[in-house]
Amino acid sequence: MSSTYLDQLNEIQRQAVTTTEGPVMVIAGPGSGKTRVLTYRIAHLIEKGVKPWNILALTFTNKAAREMKERINNTIGGGVASSVWAGTFHSIFARILRYEAELIGYPSNFTIYDTQDTKSVLSNIIRENNLEPKVYSVNGVRARISSCKYNLISPKAYTENNELIQEDYQRKQPHFQKIYKAYMARCRRAGAMDFDDLLYQMFILLHKNPNDVIKKYHDKFKYLLVDEFQDTNFLQYQIVRKLVNYPGSPHNVCIVGDDAQSIYAFRGATIENILNFQKNYKDAKIFKLEQNYRSTHHIVQAANEVIMNNNRQIQKKIWTDKGKGEPIKVLQTVTDTEEGKRVADLILEQKTRYHLQNKDIAILYRTNAQSRSFEESLRSLRISYRVYGGLSFYQRKEIKDLLAYLRLIVNRNDEEALRRVINLPKRAIGKSTVDKVSGLADAEGLPMWAVVENIEKYPFPARAGNAIKKFVKLIQKFQKQQDTKDAYELAKIVGAESGLLKMMGEDKTIEGLNRMENVQSLLDGIKIFVDAEPIEGEDKSLATYLQSIALLTDQDTEDQSDDKVTLMSVHAAKGLEFPSVFVVGLEEDLFPSFMSKNTVDEMDEERRLFYVAITRAERYLTLSYAKSRYRFGQVRYNDSSRFLEEISKENMDMAVPFSKSSGGGRSGVSGASKYGARTQRPRRAPVASNDPSFKAAKATDLSVGQQIEHFRFGKGAIQRIEGAKGNEVLTVKFDDAGEKRIMLKFAKLKLS
């Protein structure tokens, strides 16, 4: 290793890299060299004599793990990085579960269900139980099951929890527990885990085997690093603690993150993990990376000014030596259509004046539905763009069709794969026949494969029975070839002999040709996988390949190479950076979202989201808003976002002061504007609060210990009352929703 690698670090970075023993927390502000610190820390451990396979680094994207390994190899050479266990929580835990699956009653070749697979299973369960799909929406049920797993609530524990059962009755979903139990049973019967199960079952594995499995992996992973720690959920942190807190452990855990960039509460992430790390590890050493190497002074200062308004945070002051740069430009437009045109015009101007390419520019919005006006305007100026988060390559039908065959070969109990391909291409096995197979499997407690493999035992018409027999023989033939063919050879055989390639080849349309090209691209990808240098602990089997693609994230599959303007939500932009960024739709009730105004904590997360948005910009930052916007088929008049008012005039270039709308706008939790007092209008309450008897309580009516009722969170007791008169903040412990911090003047509370 080069003896000068530490010289590339500033003093705080160097301390964070070389302090290797015991618990360490690195608070890494935006653009502060977080990846470099993580990389050099691993390299430094290896230089000190730690074996690379004794290091576990958990990330949130495979892309981050790959970049980390590449940098390690560039730093110390020798290709040792391939032996470091670096990957996403899901991919690392999937590898461990492959080895230990039998201890929790799963086969080692279990299938990983993606979102579409999960929805399909749930749809079938809802339909089979004659439940109303509008009441038991698949997305809603899936989210609730996910929440149960993140909070370690098993189906059995759910049925024993009266509060949860009562909540289901209030939601008019009394049969949710039945769906949850059936879903878990069906996944286990199929030898399948969904993404949440990779975390949930990992915890179960460790929890049930503390004296052998935990010790085994504690001894193996002598040093644990967790990237983007602010994005971890309760379950992920519990797994980390089990791996680290083994009796006699030196607690060699290093977490890296930024509480100011915690924006995924809707996915279950909890900011408490990073805020409470010092409480859980009282001897933890703290390093704050406060120098920003990405952005110019005006952008960094604006970020500081915004985030200082949040209530709970780890104090830090980001700074930069990259010069003042251009002031932040603010665009005010009359309509959202005009906003799209102005932004497109300014992009054209920036490309000419600053010699930017399309790929140097990003448009960030709060909701994906906002992309339309910008797409139309960019098209009219013939500016190439791409909308980030479109249909993933691996979600295209023709790709999922071939992958389903491959999944069934690896795990014949994979019922979603079986349903997908049993009649593809058509072989006289209709939906009613498949439903009958499923019903028989349910009745006998067997996987569907056990029924089709012995179809002669059951009363099926000769035509359907013979077709099923031929299908079974085909799959059995492919299964036998696993031992003699690598993943690429087998995939080619399956494509040809299943009839899939022939079926696609008969479609001579442009779409048909595109589908064939996509399948060929998939085969090329399998070939690359087979030919690539092996990762420590992995083979080149078809099962390993399927696992690797099942765990890809959006950032792993998006093409970053084309010269196109990027349009994306702020959530999707985290971790990315661009020379020029446009943050659009900065209006009250849009950004911040009207859904964030119920509690102080929700508003804090919206502000962190805005913080993330503006810190994506390196040199040029433009903030825009429209005074009116079509939403839900009607023109809405808007106030500018409170976040704009939190940035000082010294950092802005604006043509006019922020103006307030002339009608229909809504305000929420806010201080006075730097440009005059905000006009306060009553916030439009959700339908649930439109009750004539629901009269908001006054501050003088309330005291600690009092029972109150909130239109959204239900009944609860006041724990604390803080803040100056007129801006009181209540901490309330709700019976169902837990503890919330609420600003009284917008809370819609009444005495219970």
Side-chain angles (χ1 to χ4, degrees):
M1 180 190 293
S2 168
S3 60
T4 61
Y5 77 101
L6 290 177
D7 296 335
Q8 299 174 32
L9 304 172
N10 64 37
E11 182 55 31
I12 296 297
Q13 289 175 331
R14 181 193 293 252
Q15 292 177 30
V17 165
T18 56
T19 306
T20 57
E21 306 306 304
V24 170
M25 178 164 70
V26 181
I27 301 299
S32 62
K34 170 178 70 72
T35 304
R36 173 174 288 188
V37 167
L38 270 171
T39 301
Y40 284 6
R41 185 178 174 87
I42 294 172
H44 190 68
L45 286 168
I46 295 172
E47 186 187 46
K48 284 180 59 178
V50 177
K51 301 302 182 186
W53 49 86
N54 292 144
I55 301 171
L56 171 61
L58 297 170
T59 67
F60 274 84
T61 66
N62 294 298
K63 178 183 175 185
R66 284 197 304 269
E67 183 179 349
M68 196 182 298
K69 288 187 174 185
E70 288 169 4
R71 290 196 187 190
I72 293 168
N73 279 335
N74 291 338
T75 303
I76 60 179
V80 297
S82 63
S83 296
V84 175
W85 279 60
T88 64
F89 281 86
H90 293 84
S91 63
I92 294 293
F93 295 166
R95 287 173 65 184
I96 293 173
L97 287 168
R98 294 275 179 214
Y99 299 137
E100 315 291 351
E102 290 183 3
L103 292 175
I104 54 172
Y106 269 87
S108 61
N109 62 342
F110 62 83
T111 296
I112 299 173
Y113 278 174
D114 65 13
T115 302
Q116 286 190 17
D117 297 323
T118 297
K119 286 182 177 181
S120 178
V121 175
L122 288 172
S123 293
N124 288 330
I125 292 171
I126 291 168
R127 178 173 54 82
E128 290 163 10
N129 284 277
N130 297 313
L131 299 175
E132 175 55 54
K134 290 181 180 179
V135 176
Y136 294 90
S137 73
V138 169
N139 286 334
V141 170
R142 185 173 70 90
R144 193 154 172 79
I145 289 175
S146 179
S147 178
C148 287
K149 292 178 184 177
Y150 284 165
N151 288 288
L152 293 173
I153 302 171
S154 67
K156 184 175 185 296
Y158 197 100
T159 60
E160 296 171 352
N161 189 313
N162 288 330
E163 288 185 15
L164 291 173
I165 300 302
Q166 287 303 313
E167 187 176 336
D168 285 342
Y169 275 96
Q170 291 171 6
R171 295 158 60 97
K172 297 186 177 5
Q173 294 182 337
H175 299 293
F176 170 79
Q177 55 178 311
K178 184 177 182 181
I179 298 173
Y180 183 22
K181 181 179 180 181
Y183 173 74
M184 293 293 279
R186 195 158 295 189
C187 286
R188 185 171 288 276
R189 186 180 79 185
M193 296 188 197
D194 62 23
F195 289 160
D196 297 329
D197 281 325
L198 296 175
L199 305 181
Y200 180 76
Q201 296 296 348
M202 180 69 185
F203 179 88
I204 297 300
L205 171 70
L206 297 177
H207 183 69
K208 289 187 174 180
N209 302 276
N211 297 324
D212 44 12
V213 175
I214 289 185
K215 185 178 188 307
K216 172 182 177 180
Y217 288 102
H218 177 267
D219 292 345
K220 178 174 179 58
F221 302 130
K222 300 184 185 304
Y223 293 86
L224 174 57
L225 298 89
V226 185
D227 191 15
E228 304 285 10
F229 191 72
Q230 76 282 345
D231 293 337
T232 56
N233 59 39
F234 172 78
L235 177 53
Q236 287 166 322
Y237 192 22
Q238 294 309 307
I239 295 171
V240 168
R241 294 189 71 180
K242 280 192 176 292
L243 290 172
V244 171
N245 293 356
Y246 194 77
S249 166
H251 296 156
N252 291 332
V253 57
C254 173
I255 63 122
V256 182
D258 181 8
D259 59 295
Q261 298 185 65
S262 178
I263 60 173
Y264 294 122
F266 69 95
R267 293 183 187 168
T270 172
I271 194 172
E272 278 74 17
N273 288 350
I274 193 166
L275 294 179
N276 295 334
F277 186 79
Q278 269 185 286
K279 293 180 183 177
N280 294 325
Y281 297 95
K282 298 188 185 305
D283 57 339
K285 299 177 180 67
I286 315 300
F287 302 99
K288 297 180 182 180
L289 309 184
E290 297 175 304
Q291 182 174 358
N292 181 298
Y293 292 94
R294 174 189 301 159
S295 308
T296 53
H297 174 81
H298 286 302
I299 297 169
V300 168
Q301 280 302 104
N304 282 329
E305 289 170 346
V306 167
I307 205 64
M308 69 181 289
N309 290 280
N310 266 14
N311 291 270
R312 293 192 301 159
Q313 57 182 294
I314 298 171
Q315 294 296 328
K316 56 187 173 296
K317 182 76 171 178
I318 308 302
W319 62 278
T320 182
D321 62 3
K322 292 179 72 68
K324 278 195 172 295
E326 294 283 327
I328 298 166
K329 185 178 286 294
V330 179
L331 295 179
Q332 173 192 285
T333 63
V334 176
T335 67
D336 52 338
T337 300
E338 184 191 352
E339 183 186 32
K341 291 177 180 176
R342 289 282 301 279
V343 167
D345 287 342
L346 193 52
I347 286 174
L348 204 57
E349 180 184 328
Q350 285 188 351
K351 288 176 62 180
T352 303
R353 177 181 295 182
Y354 304 127
H355 307 291
L356 297 179
Q357 299 182 65
N358 290 328
K359 65 182 179 182
D360 296 329
I361 302 168
I363 299 173
L364 308 182
Y365 33 72
R366 180 64 180 82
T367 65
N368 287 310
Q370 291 170 249
S371 71
R372 178 193 52 79
S373 65
F374 302 101
E375 290 188 65
E376 291 174 356
S377 298
L378 291 171
R379 277 201 301 268
S380 70
L381 295 180
R382 298 188 178 180
I383 298 174
S384 297
Y385 70 89
R386 67 187 181 96
V387 179
Y388 190 102
L391 188 63
S392 160
F393 175 81
Y394 293 100
Q395 294 301 321
R396 292 169 181 163
K397 181 182 183 303
E398 61 274 15
I399 302 302
K400 286 186 72 72
D401 289 343
L402 180 51
L403 289 177
Y405 268 103
L406 302 183
R407 281 168 44 179
L408 192 58
I409 293 166
V410 169
N411 174 14
R412 62 186 186 178
N413 292 335
D414 184 340
E415 295 187 359
E416 286 309 299
L418 177 62
R419 286 175 182 273
R420 190 175 190 101
V421 301
I422 193 169
N423 197 39
L424 188 74
K426 291 189 181 303
R427 42 175 76 94
I429 306 173
K431 183 177 180 300
S432 60
T433 299
V434 176
D435 286 345
K436 186 175 179 180
V437 169
S438 178
L440 288 166
D442 281 341
E444 299 189 17
L446 297 171
M448 286 175 66
W449 179 262
V451 175
V452 298
E453 196 175 33
N454 298 283
I455 198 68
E456 65 277 357
K457 295 181 180 179
Y458 301 97
F460 281 88
R463 186 166 180 247
N466 290 333
I468 289 174
K469 285 180 184 178
K470 289 181 181 178
F471 172 74
V472 168
K473 286 181 180 177
L474 180 69
I475 299 301
Q476 289 173 334
K477 176 185 176 184
F478 294 152
Q479 288 170 340
K480 290 176 183 176
Q481 291 176 305
Q482 280 188 97
D483 298 331
T484 57
K485 307 290 183 183
D486 65 32
Y488 173 69
E489 292 172 331
L490 185 53
K492 281 206 308 180
I493 292 170
V494 170
E497 296 188 13
S498 67
L500 275 182
L501 293 180
K502 181 176 182 294
M503 179 187 73
M504 285 186 235
E506 292 170 350
D507 185 351
K508 303 299 183 183
T509 65
I510 295 295
E511 292 78 9
L513 294 174
N514 286 339
R515 282 192 283 271
M516 282 294 288
E517 288 177 0
N518 288 338
V519 170
Q520 186 55 54
S521 180
L522 175 67
L523 293 172
D524 291 342
I526 300 175
K527 179 64 173 170
I528 292 169
F529 165 81
V530 168
D531 292 345
E533 180 183 346
I535 296 172
E536 194 267 337
E538 287 193 349
D539 54 34
K540 295 298 181 181
S541 68
L542 185 57
T544 303
Y545 169 74
L546 290 172
Q547 173 180 302
S548 71
I549 62 167
L551 296 167
L552 288 175
T553 64
D554 286 345
Q555 289 193 20
D556 298 317
T557 56
E558 288 288 346
D559 179 8
Q560 303 283 345
S561 61
D562 292 341
D563 184 30
K564 296 179 180 179
V565 173
T566 299
L567 279 69
M568 66 197 325
S569 71
V570 181
H571 281 105
K574 188 165 172 293
L576 304 178
E577 56 189 60
F578 303 87
S580 176
V581 169
F582 292 77
V583 186
V584 299
L586 283 165
E587 300 131 32
E588 283 294 301
D589 291 340
L590 184 55
F591 200 176
S593 166
F594 73 94
M595 296 177 67
S596 69
K597 293 184 174 181
N598 292 289
T599 71
V600 173
D601 289 344
E602 288 175 353
M603 185 57 68
D604 279 0
E605 174 142 341
E606 284 290 298
R607 189 173 282 107
R608 292 194 295 268
L609 190 60
F610 182 56
Y611 179 86
V612 166
I614 61 182
T615 55
R616 300 310 93 199
E618 297 172 359
R619 286 177 279 159
Y620 312 108
L621 176 61
T622 305
L623 309 176
S624 73
Y625 67 98
K627 295 173 68 177
S628 66
R629 179 179 300 274
Y630 265 94
R631 297 187 72 188
F632 310 110
Q634 294 182 331
V635 175
R636 302 290 179 91
Y637 296 94
N638 314 305
D639 287 346
S640 57
S641 170
R642 73 193 66 196
F643 299 152
L644 288 170
E645 300 172 17
E646 294 172 355
I647 302 173
S648 66
K649 289 184 285 186
E650 289 73 21
N651 292 312
M652 285 186 170
D653 171 18
M654 18 184 336
V656 293
F658 301 126
S659 63
K660 304 306 168 197
S661 62
S662 58
R666 290 179 284 172
S667 296
V669 184
S670 177
S673 163
K674 295 180 175 67
Y675 302 91
R678 178 182 290 282
T679 303
Q680 295 293 337
R681 298 187 182 87
R683 179 177 166 275
R684 182 180 176 185
V687 175
S689 67
N690 292 337
D691 177 353
S693 68
F694 205 113
K695 295 179 181 178
K698 298 177 182 177
T700 53
D701 299 333
L702 301 176
S703 60
V704 173
Q706 200 159 24
Q707 295 291 317
I708 54 88
E709 185 174 353
H710 184 275
F711 77 92
R712 176 177 171 191
F713 299 126
K715 294 183 178 181
I718 298 174
Q719 307 295 304
R720 290 187 300 279
I721 302 177
E722 305 163 291
K725 184 178 180 180
N727 289 294
E728 294 90 346
V729 175
L730 275 60
T731 300
V732 182
K733 187 172 184 181
F734 289 100
D735 297 345
D736 296 324
E739 193 168 280
K740 301 284 184 183
R741 297 179 73 235
I742 298 174
M743 186 162 273
L744 176 60
K745 63 183 177 182
F746 304 109
K748 292 279 185 184
L749 298 177
K750 75 171 183 179
L751 298 179
S752 181

